[in-house]
Amino acid sequence: MPTRVELGVWRSFLRAHARITRVLEAELIAEQRLSLAAYDVLVQLAEAPSTRMRMTELADAVLLSRSGVTRLVDRLERAGLVGRERADGDGRGIVAVLTPLGAERLRSASTTHLAGVAEHFGESFGPGELEAFGRTCDRLASDDVFP
């Protein structure tokens, strides 16, 4: 069982994450008419080799279920931001592909999102705190903690 301190810090971490993501999402929707999940899909595709990813890999990268990613990619495809193609050498596999319009939309939305990250996250830390927090998060995210 967690100690009282561990449980308190855990709850604080969850509240902080929820608050920051709500604020960032609200800004993206208000200024760019784009959800945070959609922005994340566009970022993942932009950073992928050849700006394409298998749908299963995309679901893992954005922490959505496969059906959730499928529905989101459906909406992004209708908006012209993402396309779908058959995976090379695999008749059943589908890849999501960032379109030129999707790349343009990502560039525009990044201005809003990155300003929000700096304001609502980065500016909350004092000297040395951000680096320490980053090391802690890296440790929690590593395969050594949760293989």
Side-chain angles (χ1 to χ4, degrees):
M1 298 300 291
T3 67
R4 184 176 291 177
V5 170
E6 289 168 338
L7 194 54
V9 171
W10 170 248
R11 289 176 176 161
S12 179
F13 170 76
L14 292 176
R15 282 191 307 273
H17 178 268
R19 180 189 167 277
I20 290 169
T21 54
R22 275 193 308 268
V23 168
L24 293 174
E25 169 125 284
E27 289 175 349
L28 272 173
I29 290 170
E31 295 179 28
Q32 303 291 333
R33 295 190 329 256
L34 192 68
S35 71
L36 190 54
Y39 177 85
D40 194 15
V41 165
L42 297 178
V43 167
Q44 296 300 323
L45 291 174
E47 293 177 350
S50 303
T51 66
R52 63 190 67 232
M53 288 179 82
R54 286 181 169 271
M55 293 290 286
T56 54
E57 293 170 347
L58 185 57
D60 290 341
V62 298
L63 304 177
L64 289 174
S65 66
R66 289 181 185 178
S67 62
V69 159
T70 297
R71 288 188 302 273
L72 180 53
V73 168
D74 286 344
R75 290 190 301 273
L76 294 172
E77 188 174 31
R78 284 192 300 273
L81 305 179
V82 172
R84 289 183 207 211
E85 298 175 356
R86 291 254 178 239
D88 290 337
D90 181 355
R92 297 182 315 150
I94 300 292
V95 294
V97 182
L98 185 66
T99 66
L101 181 60
E104 182 182 311
R105 186 76 186 278
L106 176 60
R107 277 190 294 280
S108 175
S110 290
T111 303
T112 298
H113 181 67
L114 296 177
V117 169
E119 178 183 352
H120 307 299
F121 180 75
E123 292 176 7
S124 299
F125 293 91
E129 290 178 329
L130 186 61
E131 292 84 1
F133 184 68
R135 286 190 300 275
T136 300
C137 289
D138 287 344
R139 189 171 61 247
L140 289 172
S142 80
D143 288 338
D144 295 336
V145 175
F146 303 106

mmCIF file of all heavy atoms in Angstrom, residues 36-79:
data_model
loop_
_atom_site.group_PDB
_atom_site.id
_atom_site.type_symbol
_atom_site.label_atom_id
_atom_site.label_comp_id
_atom_site.label_asym_id
_atom_site.label_seq_id
_atom_site.Cartn_x
_atom_site.Cartn_y
_atom_site.Cartn_z
ATOM 1 N N LEU A 36 -6.654 18.117 -28.685
ATOM 2 C CA LEU A 36 -5.310 17.734 -28.275
ATOM 3 C C LEU A 36 -4.952 16.355 -28.829
ATOM 4 O O LEU A 36 -3.824 16.127 -29.262
ATOM 5 C CB LEU A 36 -5.201 17.759 -26.748
ATOM 6 C CG LEU A 36 -3.821 17.615 -26.137
ATOM 7 C CD1 LEU A 36 -2.844 18.648 -26.688
ATOM 8 C CD2 LEU A 36 -3.911 17.731 -24.624
ATOM 9 N N ALA A 37 -5.911 15.433 -28.854
ATOM 10 C CA ALA A 37 -5.659 14.091 -29.411
ATOM 11 C C ALA A 37 -5.346 14.178 -30.907
ATOM 12 O O ALA A 37 -4.442 13.498 -31.403
ATOM 13 C CB ALA A 37 -6.848 13.181 -29.167
ATOM 14 N N ALA A 38 -6.077 15.011 -31.638
ATOM 15 C CA ALA A 38 -5.817 15.186 -33.068
ATOM 16 C C ALA A 38 -4.441 15.797 -33.293
ATOM 17 O O ALA A 38 -3.693 15.385 -34.185
ATOM 18 C CB ALA A 38 -6.900 16.045 -33.704
ATOM 19 N N TYR A 39 -4.105 16.794 -32.478
ATOM 20 C CA TYR A 39 -2.781 17.412 -32.556
ATOM 21 C C TYR A 39 -1.705 16.352 -32.323
ATOM 22 O O TYR A 39 -0.716 16.289 -33.062
ATOM 23 C CB TYR A 39 -2.671 18.538 -31.518
ATOM 24 C CG TYR A 39 -1.308 19.184 -31.471
ATOM 25 C CD1 TYR A 39 -0.982 20.207 -32.356
ATOM 26 C CD2 TYR A 39 -0.350 18.773 -30.548
ATOM 27 C CE1 TYR A 39 0.276 20.798 -32.322
ATOM 28 C CE2 TYR A 39 0.899 19.362 -30.507
ATOM 29 C CZ TYR A 39 1.209 20.370 -31.394
ATOM 30 O OH TYR A 39 2.453 20.948 -31.366
ATOM 31 N N ASP A 40 -1.908 15.501 -31.320
ATOM 32 C CA ASP A 40 -0.938 14.454 -31.008
ATOM 33 C C ASP A 40 -0.763 13.498 -32.184
ATOM 34 O O ASP A 40 0.358 13.114 -32.520
ATOM 35 C CB ASP A 40 -1.367 13.698 -29.755
ATOM 36 C CG ASP A 40 -0.266 12.823 -29.173
ATOM 37 O OD1 ASP A 40 0.912 12.978 -29.542
ATOM 38 O OD2 ASP A 40 -0.603 11.977 -28.322
ATOM 39 N N VAL A 41 -1.851 13.116 -32.842
ATOM 40 C CA VAL A 41 -1.757 12.245 -34.021
ATOM 41 C C VAL A 41 -0.924 12.923 -35.103
ATOM 42 O O VAL A 41 -0.026 12.309 -35.698
ATOM 43 C CB VAL A 41 -3.149 11.862 -34.560
ATOM 44 C CG1 VAL A 41 -3.067 11.275 -35.965
ATOM 45 C CG2 VAL A 41 -3.824 10.873 -33.621
ATOM 46 N N LEU A 42 -1.178 14.199 -35.361
ATOM 47 C CA LEU A 42 -0.423 14.921 -36.389
ATOM 48 C C LEU A 42 1.055 14.996 -36.032
ATOM 49 O O LEU A 42 1.922 14.823 -36.897
ATOM 50 C CB LEU A 42 -1.006 16.314 -36.603
ATOM 51 C CG LEU A 42 -2.441 16.371 -37.129
ATOM 52 C CD1 LEU A 42 -2.909 17.822 -37.253
ATOM 53 C CD2 LEU A 42 -2.600 15.633 -38.440
ATOM 54 N N VAL A 43 1.369 15.228 -34.752
ATOM 55 C CA VAL A 43 2.771 15.271 -34.304
ATOM 56 C C VAL A 43 3.439 13.917 -34.509
ATOM 57 O O VAL A 43 4.559 13.836 -35.033
ATOM 58 C CB VAL A 43 2.872 15.704 -32.823
ATOM 59 C CG1 VAL A 43 4.265 15.445 -32.268
ATOM 60 C CG2 VAL A 43 2.500 17.162 -32.656
ATOM 61 N N GLN A 44 2.762 12.848 -34.086
ATOM 62 C CA GLN A 44 3.341 11.504 -34.220
ATOM 63 C C GLN A 44 3.641 11.189 -35.682
ATOM 64 O O GLN A 44 4.701 10.647 -35.999
ATOM 65 C CB GLN A 44 2.408 10.445 -33.621
ATOM 66 C CG GLN A 44 2.191 10.562 -32.136
ATOM 67 C CD GLN A 44 3.462 10.450 -31.318
ATOM 68 O OE1 GLN A 44 4.370 9.678 -31.647
ATOM 69 N NE2 GLN A 44 3.538 11.210 -30.250
ATOM 70 N N LEU A 45 2.718 11.532 -36.572
ATOM 71 C CA LEU A 45 2.935 11.269 -37.998
ATOM 72 C C LEU A 45 4.055 12.142 -38.552
ATOM 73 O O LEU A 45 4.873 11.679 -39.349
ATOM 74 C CB LEU A 45 1.638 11.489 -38.785
ATOM 75 C CG LEU A 45 0.539 10.466 -38.524
ATOM 76 C CD1 LEU A 45 -0.739 10.861 -39.231
ATOM 77 C CD2 LEU A 45 0.986 9.062 -38.929
ATOM 78 N N ALA A 46 4.112 13.394 -38.141
ATOM 79 C CA ALA A 46 5.162 14.298 -38.626
ATOM 80 C C ALA A 46 6.541 13.807 -38.216
ATOM 81 O O ALA A 46 7.519 13.978 -38.960
ATOM 82 C CB ALA A 46 4.922 15.712 -38.100
ATOM 83 N N GLU A 47 6.639 13.191 -37.046
ATOM 84 C CA GLU A 47 7.931 12.732 -36.547
ATOM 85 C C GLU A 47 8.287 11.322 -37.003
ATOM 86 O O GLU A 47 9.409 10.868 -36.803
ATOM 87 C CB GLU A 47 7.941 12.803 -35.016
ATOM 88 C CG GLU A 47 7.890 14.236 -34.516
ATOM 89 C CD GLU A 47 7.833 14.351 -32.993
ATOM 90 O OE1 GLU A 47 7.636 13.313 -32.319
ATOM 91 O OE2 GLU A 47 7.978 15.479 -32.502
ATOM 92 N N ALA A 48 7.349 10.624 -37.617
ATOM 93 C CA ALA A 48 7.581 9.245 -38.070
ATOM 94 C C ALA A 48 8.352 9.241 -39.392
ATOM 95 O O ALA A 48 8.249 10.181 -40.185
ATOM 96 C CB ALA A 48 6.242 8.531 -38.247
ATOM 97 N N PRO A 49 9.109 8.156 -39.639
ATOM 98 C CA PRO A 49 9.790 8.037 -40.934
ATOM 99 C C PRO A 49 8.779 8.129 -42.080
ATOM 100 O O PRO A 49 7.723 7.495 -42.038
ATOM 101 C CB PRO A 49 10.435 6.649 -40.878
ATOM 102 C CG PRO A 49 10.540 6.332 -39.409
ATOM 103 C CD PRO A 49 9.376 7.027 -38.756
ATOM 104 N N SER A 50 9.066 8.940 -43.052
ATOM 105 C CA SER A 50 8.207 9.147 -44.223
ATOM 106 C C SER A 50 6.816 9.645 -43.843
ATOM 107 O O SER A 50 5.862 9.471 -44.592
ATOM 108 C CB SER A 50 8.083 7.865 -45.058
ATOM 109 O OG SER A 50 9.355 7.419 -45.460
ATOM 110 N N THR A 51 6.688 10.229 -42.668
ATOM 111 C CA THR A 51 5.424 10.785 -42.150
ATOM 112 C C THR A 51 4.271 9.789 -42.224
ATOM 113 O O THR A 51 3.141 10.136 -42.510
ATOM 114 C CB THR A 51 5.025 12.108 -42.831
ATOM 115 O OG1 THR A 51 4.732 11.879 -44.215
ATOM 116 C CG2 THR A 51 6.109 13.164 -42.685
ATOM 117 N N ARG A 52 4.561 8.536 -41.902
ATOM 118 C CA ARG A 52 3.542 7.481 -41.926
ATOM 119 C C ARG A 52 3.793 6.495 -40.805
ATOM 120 O O ARG A 52 4.926 6.235 -40.432
ATOM 121 C CB ARG A 52 3.498 6.797 -43.278
ATOM 122 C CG ARG A 52 4.756 6.077 -43.665
ATOM 123 C CD ARG A 52 4.772 5.605 -45.118
ATOM 124 N NE ARG A 52 4.806 6.758 -45.995
ATOM 125 C CZ ARG A 52 3.951 6.965 -47.000
ATOM 126 N NH1 ARG A 52 3.042 6.085 -47.300
ATOM 127 N NH2 ARG A 52 4.032 8.048 -47.732
ATOM 128 N N MET A 53 2.680 5.949 -40.278
ATOM 129 C CA MET A 53 2.761 4.950 -39.212
ATOM 130 C C MET A 53 1.639 3.944 -39.379
ATOM 131 O O MET A 53 0.538 4.309 -39.801
ATOM 132 C CB MET A 53 2.570 5.594 -37.828
ATOM 133 C CG MET A 53 3.708 6.442 -37.347
ATOM 134 S SD MET A 53 3.335 7.162 -35.710
ATOM 135 C CE MET A 53 3.763 5.788 -34.660
ATOM 136 N N ARG A 54 1.926 2.711 -39.014
ATOM 137 C CA ARG A 54 0.862 1.710 -38.942
ATOM 138 C C ARG A 54 -0.146 2.172 -37.897
ATOM 139 O O ARG A 54 0.209 2.771 -36.896
ATOM 140 C CB ARG A 54 1.414 0.347 -38.538
ATOM 141 C CG ARG A 54 2.176 -0.341 -39.626
ATOM 142 C CD ARG A 54 2.660 -1.713 -39.112
ATOM 143 N NE ARG A 54 3.168 -2.475 -40.218
ATOM 144 C CZ ARG A 54 2.422 -3.272 -40.985
ATOM 145 N NH1 ARG A 54 1.145 -3.425 -40.731
ATOM 146 N NH2 ARG A 54 2.956 -3.923 -41.989
ATOM 147 N N MET A 55 -1.400 1.860 -38.135
ATOM 148 C CA MET A 55 -2.454 2.283 -37.221
ATOM 149 C C MET A 55 -2.230 1.724 -35.811
ATOM 150 O O MET A 55 -2.474 2.417 -34.826
ATOM 151 C CB MET A 55 -3.821 1.862 -37.753
ATOM 152 C CG MET A 55 -4.222 2.583 -39.037
ATOM 153 S SD MET A 55 -4.579 4.317 -38.782
ATOM 154 C CE MET A 55 -6.165 4.189 -37.955
ATOM 155 N N THR A 56 -1.743 0.500 -35.705
ATOM 156 C CA THR A 56 -1.503 -0.080 -34.381
ATOM 157 C C THR A 56 -0.392 0.666 -33.651
ATOM 158 O O THR A 56 -0.490 0.916 -32.446
ATOM 159 C CB THR A 56 -1.147 -1.576 -34.489
ATOM 160 O OG1 THR A 56 -0.047 -1.734 -35.378
ATOM 161 C CG2 THR A 56 -2.325 -2.392 -34.962
ATOM 162 N N GLU A 57 0.663 1.029 -34.368
ATOM 163 C CA GLU A 57 1.751 1.799 -33.757
ATOM 164 C C GLU A 57 1.268 3.190 -33.360
ATOM 165 O O GLU A 57 1.656 3.716 -32.313
ATOM 166 C CB GLU A 57 2.924 1.923 -34.735
ATOM 167 C CG GLU A 57 3.611 0.609 -35.030
ATOM 168 C CD GLU A 57 4.603 0.722 -36.181
ATOM 169 O OE1 GLU A 57 4.591 1.734 -36.915
ATOM 170 O OE2 GLU A 57 5.387 -0.227 -36.357
ATOM 171 N N LEU A 58 0.428 3.786 -34.178
ATOM 172 C CA LEU A 58 -0.118 5.101 -33.879
ATOM 173 C C LEU A 58 -0.970 5.052 -32.615
ATOM 174 O O LEU A 58 -0.877 5.928 -31.755
ATOM 175 C CB LEU A 58 -0.926 5.617 -35.072
ATOM 176 C CG LEU A 58 -1.471 7.030 -34.988
ATOM 177 C CD1 LEU A 58 -0.372 8.058 -34.763
ATOM 178 C CD2 LEU A 58 -2.238 7.363 -36.265
ATOM 179 N N ALA A 59 -1.764 4.007 -32.479
ATOM 180 C CA ALA A 59 -2.599 3.849 -31.276
ATOM 181 C C ALA A 59 -1.724 3.763 -30.029
ATOM 182 O O ALA A 59 -2.033 4.378 -29.009
ATOM 183 C CB ALA A 59 -3.484 2.615 -31.400
ATOM 184 N N ASP A 60 -0.640 3.016 -30.104
ATOM 185 C CA ASP A 60 0.276 2.914 -28.962
ATOM 186 C C ASP A 60 0.949 4.248 -28.665
ATOM 187 O O ASP A 60 1.111 4.629 -27.504
ATOM 188 C CB ASP A 60 1.350 1.856 -29.218
ATOM 189 C CG ASP A 60 0.808 0.441 -29.216
ATOM 190 O OD1 ASP A 60 -0.307 0.221 -28.682
ATOM 191 O OD2 ASP A 60 1.498 -0.446 -29.760
ATOM 192 N N ALA A 61 1.318 4.982 -29.713
ATOM 193 C CA ALA A 61 2.033 6.250 -29.534
ATOM 194 C C ALA A 61 1.158 7.330 -28.900
ATOM 195 O O ALA A 61 1.649 8.137 -28.110
ATOM 196 C CB ALA A 61 2.585 6.742 -30.873
ATOM 197 N N VAL A 62 -0.118 7.347 -29.230
ATOM 198 C CA VAL A 62 -0.991 8.401 -28.705
ATOM 199 C C VAL A 62 -1.824 7.932 -27.521
ATOM 200 O O VAL A 62 -2.650 8.675 -27.009
ATOM 201 C CB VAL A 62 -1.906 9.011 -29.795
ATOM 202 C CG1 VAL A 62 -1.092 9.673 -30.874
ATOM 203 C CG2 VAL A 62 -2.853 7.994 -30.367
ATOM 204 N N LEU A 63 -1.597 6.710 -27.078
ATOM 205 C CA LEU A 63 -2.273 6.156 -25.903
ATOM 206 C C LEU A 63 -3.786 6.143 -26.042
ATOM 207 O O LEU A 63 -4.522 6.470 -25.116
ATOM 208 C CB LEU A 63 -1.849 6.919 -24.636
ATOM 209 C CG LEU A 63 -0.349 6.968 -24.368
ATOM 210 C CD1 LEU A 63 -0.061 7.804 -23.135
ATOM 211 C CD2 LEU A 63 0.227 5.571 -24.209
ATOM 212 N N LEU A 64 -4.251 5.767 -27.223
ATOM 213 C CA LEU A 64 -5.672 5.556 -27.467
ATOM 214 C C LEU A 64 -5.882 4.102 -27.850
ATOM 215 O O LEU A 64 -4.948 3.433 -28.299
ATOM 216 C CB LEU A 64 -6.171 6.440 -28.622
ATOM 217 C CG LEU A 64 -6.277 7.935 -28.378
ATOM 218 C CD1 LEU A 64 -6.648 8.651 -29.678
ATOM 219 C CD2 LEU A 64 -7.300 8.247 -27.301
ATOM 220 N N SER A 65 -7.097 3.640 -27.700
ATOM 221 C CA SER A 65 -7.411 2.291 -28.162
ATOM 222 C C SER A 65 -7.345 2.271 -29.685
ATOM 223 O O SER A 65 -7.394 3.323 -30.337
ATOM 224 C CB SER A 65 -8.813 1.888 -27.703
ATOM 225 O OG SER A 65 -9.784 2.692 -28.347
ATOM 226 N N ARG A 66 -7.255 1.088 -30.250
ATOM 227 C CA ARG A 66 -7.236 0.989 -31.717
ATOM 228 C C ARG A 66 -8.512 1.550 -32.317
ATOM 229 O O ARG A 66 -8.478 2.253 -33.329
ATOM 230 C CB ARG A 66 -7.034 -0.458 -32.141
ATOM 231 C CG ARG A 66 -5.637 -0.933 -31.859
ATOM 232 C CD ARG A 66 -5.407 -2.337 -32.294
ATOM 233 N NE ARG A 66 -4.068 -2.742 -31.868
ATOM 234 C CZ ARG A 66 -3.575 -3.929 -32.067
ATOM 235 N NH1 ARG A 66 -4.288 -4.850 -32.663
ATOM 236 N NH2 ARG A 66 -2.357 -4.212 -31.658
ATOM 237 N N SER A 67 -9.648 1.280 -31.694
ATOM 238 C CA SER A 67 -10.906 1.816 -32.229
ATOM 239 C C SER A 67 -10.955 3.333 -32.070
ATOM 240 O O SER A 67 -11.472 4.040 -32.933
ATOM 241 C CB SER A 67 -12.111 1.162 -31.558
ATOM 242 O OG SER A 67 -12.121 1.423 -30.175
ATOM 243 N N GLY A 68 -10.401 3.847 -30.974
ATOM 244 C CA GLY A 68 -10.358 5.297 -30.780
ATOM 245 C C GLY A 68 -9.506 5.983 -31.824
ATOM 246 O O GLY A 68 -9.878 7.041 -32.359
ATOM 247 N N VAL A 69 -8.355 5.392 -32.147
ATOM 248 C CA VAL A 69 -7.489 5.959 -33.183
ATOM 249 C C VAL A 69 -8.171 5.869 -34.541
ATOM 250 O O VAL A 69 -8.101 6.800 -35.339
ATOM 251 C CB VAL A 69 -6.114 5.268 -33.199
ATOM 252 C CG1 VAL A 69 -5.389 5.446 -34.513
ATOM 253 C CG2 VAL A 69 -5.249 5.813 -32.090
ATOM 254 N N THR A 70 -8.839 4.764 -34.799
ATOM 255 C CA THR A 70 -9.540 4.606 -36.072
ATOM 256 C C THR A 70 -10.580 5.709 -36.249
ATOM 257 O O THR A 70 -10.644 6.344 -37.313
ATOM 258 C CB THR A 70 -10.210 3.217 -36.156
ATOM 259 O OG1 THR A 70 -9.182 2.224 -36.107
ATOM 260 C CG2 THR A 70 -11.013 3.064 -37.438
ATOM 261 N N ARG A 71 -11.374 5.973 -35.221
ATOM 262 C CA ARG A 71 -12.385 7.028 -35.317
ATOM 263 C C ARG A 71 -11.742 8.401 -35.489
ATOM 264 O O ARG A 71 -12.204 9.221 -36.283
ATOM 265 C CB ARG A 71 -13.292 7.014 -34.081
ATOM 266 C CG ARG A 71 -14.247 5.821 -34.061
ATOM 267 C CD ARG A 71 -15.272 5.930 -32.946
ATOM 268 N NE ARG A 71 -14.684 6.041 -31.626
ATOM 269 C CZ ARG A 71 -14.331 5.021 -30.856
ATOM 270 N NH1 ARG A 71 -14.510 3.773 -31.295
ATOM 271 N NH2 ARG A 71 -13.833 5.217 -29.652
ATOM 272 N N LEU A 72 -10.666 8.664 -34.760
ATOM 273 C CA LEU A 72 -9.984 9.952 -34.873
ATOM 274 C C LEU A 72 -9.363 10.120 -36.259
ATOM 275 O O LEU A 72 -9.491 11.183 -36.888
ATOM 276 C CB LEU A 72 -8.925 10.082 -33.782
ATOM 277 C CG LEU A 72 -8.114 11.373 -33.745
ATOM 278 C CD1 LEU A 72 -9.010 12.603 -33.709
ATOM 279 C CD2 LEU A 72 -7.169 11.356 -32.548
ATOM 280 N N VAL A 73 -8.705 9.091 -36.758
ATOM 281 C CA VAL A 73 -8.107 9.155 -38.100
ATOM 282 C C VAL A 73 -9.209 9.311 -39.153
ATOM 283 O O VAL A 73 -9.013 10.023 -40.145
ATOM 284 C CB VAL A 73 -7.191 7.946 -38.365
ATOM 285 C CG1 VAL A 73 -6.793 7.851 -39.832
ATOM 286 C CG2 VAL A 73 -5.940 8.035 -37.485
ATOM 287 N N ASP A 74 -10.369 8.686 -38.944
ATOM 288 C CA ASP A 74 -11.506 8.895 -39.863
ATOM 289 C C ASP A 74 -11.827 10.388 -39.977
ATOM 290 O O ASP A 74 -11.993 10.917 -41.077
ATOM 291 C CB ASP A 74 -12.766 8.171 -39.367
ATOM 292 C CG ASP A 74 -12.724 6.667 -39.556
ATOM 293 O OD1 ASP A 74 -11.870 6.176 -40.326
ATOM 294 O OD2 ASP A 74 -13.552 5.987 -38.913
ATOM 295 N N ARG A 75 -11.922 11.063 -38.822
ATOM 296 C CA ARG A 75 -12.248 12.500 -38.828
ATOM 297 C C ARG A 75 -11.133 13.317 -39.480
ATOM 298 O O ARG A 75 -11.398 14.241 -40.253
ATOM 299 C CB ARG A 75 -12.502 12.998 -37.399
ATOM 300 C CG ARG A 75 -13.800 12.454 -36.811
ATOM 301 C CD ARG A 75 -14.182 13.132 -35.508
ATOM 302 N NE ARG A 75 -13.202 13.016 -34.440
ATOM 303 C CZ ARG A 75 -13.130 11.994 -33.577
ATOM 304 N NH1 ARG A 75 -13.985 10.980 -33.657
ATOM 305 N NH2 ARG A 75 -12.219 11.994 -32.631
ATOM 306 N N LEU A 76 -9.888 12.983 -39.170
ATOM 307 C CA LEU A 76 -8.761 13.705 -39.760
ATOM 308 C C LEU A 76 -8.671 13.464 -41.261
ATOM 309 O O LEU A 76 -8.294 14.367 -42.019
ATOM 310 C CB LEU A 76 -7.456 13.306 -39.062
ATOM 311 C CG LEU A 76 -7.339 13.710 -37.593
ATOM 312 C CD1 LEU A 76 -6.090 13.095 -36.968
ATOM 313 C CD2 LEU A 76 -7.334 15.220 -37.442
ATOM 314 N N GLU A 77 -9.039 12.273 -41.690
ATOM 315 C CA GLU A 77 -9.037 11.955 -43.116
ATOM 316 C C GLU A 77 -10.121 12.767 -43.839
ATOM 317 O O GLU A 77 -9.876 13.320 -44.911
ATOM 318 C CB GLU A 77 -9.250 10.457 -43.317
ATOM 319 C CG GLU A 77 -9.066 10.000 -44.757
ATOM 320 C CD GLU A 77 -9.140 8.495 -44.883
ATOM 321 O OE1 GLU A 77 -9.847 7.829 -44.106
ATOM 322 O OE2 GLU A 77 -8.491 7.980 -45.816
ATOM 323 N N ARG A 78 -11.307 12.842 -43.246
ATOM 324 C CA ARG A 78 -12.387 13.655 -43.850
ATOM 325 C C ARG A 78 -11.989 15.122 -43.961
ATOM 326 O O ARG A 78 -12.396 15.808 -44.894
ATOM 327 C CB ARG A 78 -13.676 13.515 -43.041
ATOM 328 C CG ARG A 78 -14.402 12.199 -43.266
ATOM 329 C CD ARG A 78 -15.810 12.191 -42.704
ATOM 330 N NE ARG A 78 -15.862 12.413 -41.277
ATOM 331 C CZ ARG A 78 -15.768 11.463 -40.348
ATOM 332 N NH1 ARG A 78 -15.598 10.191 -40.710
ATOM 333 N NH2 ARG A 78 -15.836 11.755 -39.065
ATOM 334 N N ALA A 79 -11.170 15.595 -43.028
ATOM 335 C CA ALA A 79 -10.702 16.989 -43.053
ATOM 336 C C ALA A 79 -9.513 17.181 -43.996
ATOM 337 O O ALA A 79 -9.049 18.307 -44.186
ATOM 338 C CB ALA A 79 -10.330 17.437 -41.641
#
